[in-house]
């Protein structure tokens, strides 16, 4: 298996945006602009969300790193959010067919 995952956790100082705002932001900032197989965000509590980005290879993930960092800077300042942690590495096992 050659898939590669990037996991992040984020803190929203003034509380998470609405589900609709988050979905619209994802579409605006990522739809057609990434080679990721999938991007999933989920709510932890009123001030935190986590995400996972799945790429078909580490090479694709690394190739988009500069673009991802620029987008993060923009959205972090616009939404007053801060990344709490980030981990990345090869996918070892997968039940679904992402």
């Amino acid at each position: 298996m050659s898939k590669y995952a990037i996991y992040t956790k984020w803190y929203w100082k003034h509380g998470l945006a609405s589900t609709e705002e988050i979905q619209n932001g994802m579409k605006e900032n990522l739809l057609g602009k990434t080679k990721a197989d999938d991007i999933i965000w989920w709510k932890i509590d009123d001030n935190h969300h986590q995400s996972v980005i799945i790429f078909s290879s580490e090479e694709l993930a690394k190739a988009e790193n500069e673009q991802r960092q620029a987008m993060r800077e923009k959205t972090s300042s616009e939404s007053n959010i801060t990344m709490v942690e980030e981990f990345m590495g090869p996918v070892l096992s997968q039940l679904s067919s992402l």
Side-chain angles (χ1 to χ4, degrees):
M1 177 172 291
S2 63
K3 294 199 180 212
Y4 196 78
I6 301 172
Y7 153 84
T8 57
K9 180 178 180 181
W10 295 84
Y11 171 72
W12 295 65
K13 183 176 181 180
H14 302 295
L16 266 69
S18 70
T19 300
E20 183 178 312
E21 290 173 311
I22 290 173
Q23 288 175 344
N24 289 339
M26 184 183 286
K27 287 177 185 175
E28 179 183 317
N29 291 306
L30 297 167
L31 191 61
K33 299 176 184 176
T34 181
K35 298 211 185 292
D37 293 342
D38 206 352
I39 302 171
I40 302 166
W41 288 22
W42 62 97
K43 178 180 177 177
I44 301 172
D45 59 35
D46 289 340
N47 292 91
H48 294 88
H49 89 268
Q50 292 176 309
S51 67
V52 66
I53 307 171
I54 305 292
F55 286 93
S56 60
S57 71
E58 180 177 0
E59 291 74 28
L60 282 176
K62 288 185 175 182
E64 285 193 10
N65 185 56
E66 190 173 313
Q67 171 189 339
R68 192 169 44 256
Q69 296 308 324
M71 185 209 48
R72 286 174 174 173
E73 284 181 34
K74 177 182 178 265
T75 57
S76 292
S77 64
E78 289 174 355
S79 301
N80 205 3
I81 62 175
T82 306
M83 187 187 313
V84 175
E85 58 189 15
E86 177 179 42
F87 299 99
M88 54 186 86
V91 174
L92 302 177
S93 180
Q94 183 176 342
L95 182 62
S96 69
S97 61
L98 283 176

